[in-house]
Amino acid sequence: MRAHDWSRSPLGPPEQWPDALRMAVSICLNSRFPMLIWWGPDFVMLYNDAYRPILGMTKHPASLGRPGRAIWPETWSIIGPQLESIWQGEATWSTDLLLPLDRNNYLEEAYFTYSYSPIKHADGRIGGVFTAVTETTERILDERRLRTLRELAIRTAGAPTIEQACARVLDVLAAGNPDLPIALLYRLDEDRGVLRAAGSHRVPADRFPAEIPLDADDPWSVARAVRAGEAVQLDHLPFRFGSLTGTVWPEPVRRALVVPVPRLGAVGVAGALVVGVNPRRALDHDYRLFVDLLADHVATAISNARAAEEERRRADELARLEARFRDLADSAPVMIWVCDPAGLCTWVNRPWLAFRGRSLDAELGAGWLDAVHPDDRPRYLAVYQAALDRREAFRIEFRLRRHDGVWCQVDDTGVPHYAADGSFLGFVGSCVDVSDARRFEAALRKSREELLRLNETLETRVAERTEDLAAANRQLLAEIAEREQVEATLRQMQRLDAIGQLTSGVAHDFNNLLTVVLGNASHLERLWADSDDPKLMRRITHIRIAAERGAKLIAQLLAFSRRQRLEPRVLDLNETVTRMRELLATTMGGGIEIETVLEPSPWPALVDPTQLELVVLNLAINARDAMQIGGRLTVSTGNAERGDPARPEQPPPGHYVELAVSDTGTGMSDEVQAKAFEPFFTTKTVGKGSGLGLSQVLGFAKQSGGGVEIETAPGAGTTVRVFFPRAPVVHDDVAATGAEAAARAAASACVLVVDDDDDVRHVTATMLESLGHRVVEAGSGGAALERLAAHDDIDIALIDFAMPGMSGLDLAREARARRPALPILFITGYADSTVLAGVRHEHILRKPFLDAELDRRIRAVLANSRAGTLDALMAPVR
């Protein structure tokens, strides 16, 4: 600006400029922030060096000293009226405003935050407009692309088939993101060796082939991208396919990117994704990375859906085998039973039910023990329990009451059964009524005794007894042959894989049982805390720990450097990692275990939240590619005090909040680690990565005031630690606004406990009373409404979500109609998140739970001044 010849401009030489203009120009030139001056009624432009990048490569230096309308004609309809309004003496402020700019030889989508302020002469007249401006285009694009990736992960999670997964992918691609104006998705049919179109977005069906042979050269170059395993860029789309436009800009799409979709867990590809390029954006490295991440998410969606299909096929086969086993068992001539690892009966066949004359429900659990003779029961239980403890086969005879009241002698044989993975499933056994055989044996013994007493000369009596003995022997042999046949049949049935499914239960019932066990065990621990019997305390503690492990088992089974202006905020990294766990799970795929290790008392971090999520996602994808098939991904947080750095990428001395991502993959050699942060350096195969991941992470960490550290060795996995500055300490008076609500929550409360399960309700009430709360119990929705009408002092309702008759949600709505401000907390043992999709998570307490968690959740709801409103209870419908 100082070197410009101003004598030819409308302003004349600087010596003749008014004092107000010279003062404004001085401020502008001495600032590193982008600044612009519009002077006079023609709005002649003057600007500093920091503003030059906004002008692009076509408008500088021609813009200096020229009217703004001549420089920005494409956007003057927007900024012109704003500038005119400044002559009224009022400043303006615009945030993230879309301004279409022609600064790089094409009309470009760009966003800016700026202010217009009047520049006044000494006499108060307005001579021009002063502008401070920041371009926010990169942040807007990053947030928009991250929303698309997040929506893609959420929408495709749980897709039951590959077809539905592909349909959901196309729904997300068609949601209106300007960076995805058109799209095509192809799936690879390996059996036929063709690529089949799974769907399109704004590409008519007559402009792309429905099937493409792998060895063909199709107009979209899909087969070429799949064969080469790398992306293909297509230009001149209007000449190839006619005009194709998106939903946002009127310009036709001129370029597209064809990206192969990798097949997770195997060599090769699963298909290809064709994405049109935004006609108002350049296809830069960020854009390419976004498309690569899209392809990775599509790969994850297809992989998860394929796994779901395989699991469904296995489940159908197991169900078929189970049905076959039960048909065979029901047709067997003996009584067959099955028990779980705890020894409780889970199934008996039809001959058993016919013998007992009772229903299946009455015989399950320990109900069948009522039929064992009281004199034989202790002996039988001792043998049965010893076999369970040692997991060894057993055989015992005892008396069992028949449906007509007759005590029959039965021979019971049980053998342990194991799943394919070696886990103990329980016992399978058979009972044979040997009453007749025992009578024959007694008769045989009696005959022998009589023969010894009789005189051999008594030929007639000997002949008669001999005939009786022969008949008894024949029947006994028949019984023995029948028993051997039954045992052979039983051994054959034990080979069926379907027996492994006989122990499957319902998570809701197990969680109810574990709630009772955990609640009572915790209560006993408190009662016996001062006991002088340490063995008793250890046994109670063992019960609680075993129940907690059972609850955990139930849950497991069901189950680049870019110099842009950052917007750091004070964040809790634990909350960010917890919130991203579901996104990481869908990104990693089903074969990778995800673990989080969170610092109990983390320091607050000063970091841009959007970039932080991209860092976690980048590192997780690198870790997944390093592990190839299977493995474990660990995301951890911590507090760190760092000294002098040993390497340039490490942070300077100071206090930091640490985010670490670890994998069990191949690790890095010293040579690879030395080049890990170099842009475009990658060890992946062609088309698998851009080599910018760690460069971006390092650039963001350094720009945030932190750094990065890598711990790795070949074959030992890799840990990448990212350090962010510790945020300044917030004084206690900042958090004092919620003191009154917290004080209310800390007081004792009257709690209405509603649960149709008596045991769960009683143990919950006991927990609350031990915590100092008052309790009103109800076993159904109708009873709860009666208690609510009779007790005006009820502060909060604790409602079981699944109840017969009136469900927990129906009860909550009815209670809200009578008491609109009543806080409500649901308790549930269901693992299916769709059942509770309409309720906010802070109003849900999952079983089993301990008294500390119960008390914390109740007090949190009471402390929330909006806890009683309907919008606080119900989540927004998506």
Side-chain angles (χ1 to χ4, degrees):
M1 182 172 171
R2 293 186 177 91
H4 185 70
D5 184 5
W6 293 98
S7 60
R8 299 181 181 180
S9 72
L11 299 179
E15 297 82 18
Q16 301 176 5
W17 291 356
D19 292 340
L21 176 58
R22 286 201 297 269
M23 178 64 72
V25 170
S26 175
I27 295 173
C28 178
L29 293 180
N30 288 299
S31 175
R32 296 184 180 180
F33 196 84
M35 292 183 178
L36 168 68
I37 297 171
W38 313 83
W39 188 257
D42 292 334
F43 300 109
V44 175
M45 294 177 58
L46 303 94
Y47 50 85
N48 61 4
D49 288 342
Y51 184 80
R52 288 176 56 184
I54 296 177
L55 294 168
M57 63 182 184
T58 62
K59 295 184 183 294
H60 178 78
S63 301
L64 282 172
R66 294 187 61 193
R69 182 188 297 272
I71 302 304
W72 299 114
E74 66 272 17
T75 191
W76 196 254
S77 62
I78 300 174
I79 64 176
Q82 291 180 323
L83 291 168
E84 292 290 348
S85 68
I86 301 303
W87 296 106
Q88 305 301 323
E90 296 182 0
T92 66
W93 174 265
S94 300
T95 303
D96 295 334
L97 184 64
L98 171 61
L99 296 178
L101 303 182
D102 185 1
R103 56 182 177 179
N104 293 306
N105 292 322
Y106 69 95
L107 194 59
E108 179 180 348
E109 175 190 9
Y111 297 86
F112 297 89
T113 295
Y114 58 91
S115 64
Y116 286 161
S117 304
I119 302 174
K120 297 182 179 181
H121 294 286
D123 58 2
R125 292 179 299 109
I126 297 176
V129 180
F130 188 85
T131 302
V133 59
T134 298
E135 182 169 0
T136 60
T137 303
E138 293 300 326
R139 179 176 59 79
I140 296 297
L141 294 180
D142 286 345
E143 292 175 353
R144 184 170 72 195
R145 292 165 181 174
L146 183 60
R147 282 196 302 271
T148 297
L149 293 173
R150 187 180 295 132
E151 184 68 14
L152 187 59
I154 294 172
R155 291 286 303 277
T156 58
T161 64
I162 297 178
E163 287 74 14
Q164 291 190 30
C166 292
R168 296 180 186 182
V169 166
L170 289 167
D171 287 344
V172 174
L173 299 184
N177 187 336
D179 295 327
L180 303 169
I182 64 171
L184 286 171
L185 180 59
Y186 278 86
R187 282 181 51 206
L188 176 60
D189 187 339
E190 296 180 352
D191 296 333
R192 297 177 54 205
V194 298
L195 290 156
R196 292 192 292 109
S200 67
H201 162 51
R202 297 191 70 81
V203 180
D206 60 349
R207 301 190 190 181
F208 64 91
E211 286 191 357
I212 304 173
L214 272 178
D215 56 355
D217 290 327
D218 60 286
W220 288 93
S221 298
V222 174
R224 178 158 66 96
V226 170
R227 289 194 305 267
E230 60 183 16
V232 176
Q233 180 175 322
L234 295 179
D235 297 318
H236 313 299
L237 294 190
F239 297 100
R240 294 170 178 258
F241 310 105
S243 179
L244 298 173
T245 60
T247 58
V248 179
W249 313 122
E251 295 94 332
V253 181
R254 299 179 178 84
R255 288 185 294 171
L257 200 60
V258 187
V259 183
V261 177
R263 179 164 185 174
L264 301 183
V267 178
V269 297
L273 177 65
V274 181
V275 175
V277 177
N278 186 347
R280 295 194 177 184
R281 291 302 307 169
L283 185 58
D284 54 16
H285 295 301
D286 288 351
Y287 208 148
R288 285 293 303 269
L289 179 61
F290 170 60
V291 176
D292 288 341
L293 290 174
L294 279 177
D296 289 339
H297 277 62
V298 174
T300 300
I302 293 176
S303 176
N304 291 342
R306 181 180 288 111
E309 290 179 346
E310 292 294 333
E311 182 63 26
R312 191 161 53 252
R313 282 193 289 270
R314 286 195 296 268
D316 292 342
E317 179 63 17
L318 289 174
R320 185 185 67 80
L321 292 174
E322 179 183 347
R324 182 181 177 189
F325 164 76
R326 294 195 175 189
D327 289 341
L328 289 173
D330 285 338
S331 302
V334 297
M335 297 180 287
I336 297 176
W337 55 268
V338 179
C339 78
D340 62 16
L344 296 176
C345 181
T346 59
W347 185 78
V348 295
N349 67 346
R350 290 178 184 172
W352 179 290
L353 298 178
F355 180 87
R356 292 284 295 119
R358 300 211 303 175
S359 67
L360 177 61
D361 291 340
E363 295 296 293
L364 297 182
W368 70 277
L369 281 172
D370 295 339
V372 179
H373 197 283
D375 295 342
D376 297 345
R377 194 174 302 163
R379 176 174 57 88
Y380 176 81
L381 288 177
V383 173
Y384 187 49
Q385 189 61 49
L388 278 172
D389 294 340
R390 295 191 295 267
R391 298 180 182 179
E392 294 177 352
F394 70 92
R395 182 173 181 177
I396 186 174
E397 286 191 16
F398 59 93
R399 285 168 288 178
L400 190 68
R401 186 172 57 242
R402 201 166 55 196
H403 61 85
D404 55 3
V406 176
W407 293 101
C408 298
Q409 190 79 12
V410 296
D411 185 0
D412 189 7
T413 302
V415 294
H417 186 69
Y418 298 89
D421 60 359
S423 58
F424 178 56
L425 300 178
F427 274 77
V428 178
S430 65
C431 288
V432 178
D433 184 357
V434 295
S435 301
D436 291 340
R438 297 298 174 261
R439 284 194 293 271
F440 288 138
E441 291 175 358
L444 179 59
R445 287 194 299 271
K446 184 177 180 180
S447 297
R448 287 176 178 174
E449 293 172 357
E450 289 180 355
L451 285 173
L452 292 176
R453 291 195 304 268
L454 292 175
N455 194 309
E456 293 182 357
T457 60
L458 301 176
E459 296 179 357
T460 302
R461 297 183 65 182
V462 170
E464 293 174 352
R465 291 300 183 186
T466 302
E467 181 60 29
D468 291 341
L469 180 59
N473 283 334
R474 286 194 297 271
Q475 191 161 357
L476 179 60
L477 291 174
E479 290 282 347
I480 294 173
E482 181 182 1
R483 178 179 180 83
E484 290 176 349
Q485 181 181 359
V486 169
E487 291 179 348
T489 302
L490 179 61
R491 285 193 298 270
Q492 178 65 23
M493 288 188 292
Q494 289 166 356
R495 299 189 182 98
L496 298 176
D497 290 338
I499 200 66
Q501 295 300 308
L502 294 178
T503 59
S504 62
V506 180
H508 175 265
D509 298 329
F510 276 109
N511 286 331
N512 275 342
L513 295 175
L514 289 172
T515 299
V516 176
V517 174
L518 275 174
N520 283 297
S522 298
H523 184 65
L524 289 175
E525 279 188 316
R526 290 192 302 271
L527 289 178
W528 292 86
D530 299 328
S531 171
D532 56 357
D533 188 351
K535 291 184 177 179
L536 178 60
M537 276 302 299
R538 282 199 300 271
R539 291 177 178 175
I540 296 174
T541 302
H542 289 165
I543 293 173
R544 176 180 57 78
I545 293 174
E548 290 175 350
R549 290 177 178 173
K552 182 178 180 182
L553 179 59
I554 291 298
Q556 289 174 337
L557 290 174
L558 297 171
F560 136 27
S561 175
R562 183 169 59 248
R563 297 188 180 273
Q564 63 181 27
R565 184 171 180 264
L566 300 177
E567 294 186 5
R569 302 178 188 172
V570 178
L571 295 181
D572 183 343
L573 292 193
N574 286 0
E575 293 180 359
T576 300
V577 172
T578 302
R579 186 175 64 252
M580 291 190 66
R581 185 178 177 91
E582 182 178 354
L583 174 62
L584 290 174
T586 57
T587 302
M588 295 298 98
I592 295 177
E593 176 188 355
I594 298 178
E595 179 184 11
T596 56
V597 181
L598 306 180
E599 166 66 35
S601 301
W603 293 335
L606 190 62
V607 60
D608 187 315
T610 300
Q611 296 295 328
L612 175 61
E613 293 187 8
L614 288 174
V615 165
V616 177
L617 196 60
N618 240 330
L619 295 177
I621 291 174
N622 280 352
R624 183 198 65 191
D625 294 341
M627 290 185 283
Q628 298 295 324
I629 302 176
R632 182 174 66 257
L633 176 77
T634 302
V635 182
S636 59
T637 60
N639 303 326
E641 182 176 359
R642 301 285 298 188
D644 293 332
R647 295 175 61 90
E649 66 269 15
Q650 294 177 353
H655 292 83
Y656 298 91
V657 186
E658 174 185 323
L659 172 73
V661 178
S662 304
D663 63 63
T664 57
T666 56
M668 303 181 190
S669 64
D670 293 339
E671 293 78 11
V672 172
Q673 185 179 358
K675 299 180 179 180
F677 295 105
E678 295 181 6
F680 306 106
F681 174 76
T682 179
T683 59
K684 301 176 184 178
T685 58
V686 177
K688 297 297 184 181
S690 62
L692 294 172
L694 285 177
S695 299
Q696 285 181 306
V697 172
L698 177 60
F700 171 61
K702 284 293 186 181
Q703 193 173 355
S704 299
V708 183
E709 184 178 78
I710 294 181
E711 296 178 4
T712 184
T718 300
T719 297
V720 180
R721 305 184 187 276
V722 186
F723 299 91
F724 300 106
R726 178 183 181 180
V729 177
V730 178
H731 296 290
D732 293 341
D733 56 347
V734 177
T737 57
E740 182 179 350
R744 292 196 303 270
S748 168
C750 181
V751 185
L752 173 61
V753 180
V754 188
D755 201 310
D756 62 300
D757 190 309
D758 294 341
D759 293 335
V760 175
R761 188 175 68 254
H762 293 335
V763 77
T764 304
T766 301
M767 287 183 184
L768 290 169
E769 290 171 349
S770 67
L771 293 168
H773 299 294
R774 291 172 290 118
V775 179
V776 177
E777 296 187 37
S780 65
L785 294 176
E786 293 177 359
R787 305 291 191 278
L788 194 63
H791 295 269
D792 295 334
D793 58 342
I794 292 176
D795 298 310
I796 184 173
L798 189 62
I799 303 174
D800 183 29
F801 193 85
M803 293 189 296
M806 182 183 293
S807 70
L809 191 57
D810 294 337
L811 172 58
R813 289 172 176 154
E814 185 64 27
R816 281 287 172 80
R818 304 183 184 191
R819 295 268 297 273
L822 178 67
I824 292 176
L825 182 62
F826 290 111
I827 55 176
T828 179
Y830 279 110
D832 186 0
S833 59
T834 59
V835 177
L836 302 171
V839 182
R840 293 183 181 272
H841 69 89
E842 58 264 31
H843 290 271
I844 299 173
L845 177 60
R846 296 193 179 275
K847 303 174 184 176
F849 50 82
L850 293 175
D851 48 3
E853 175 67 9
L854 175 62
D855 188 46
R856 183 186 70 79
R857 295 298 298 277
I858 286 180
R859 296 186 186 276
V861 173
L862 289 174
N864 184 359
S865 60
R866 298 177 64 251
T869 63
L870 183 61
D871 61 336
L873 175 64
M874 304 301 295
V877 178
R878 297 185 181 273

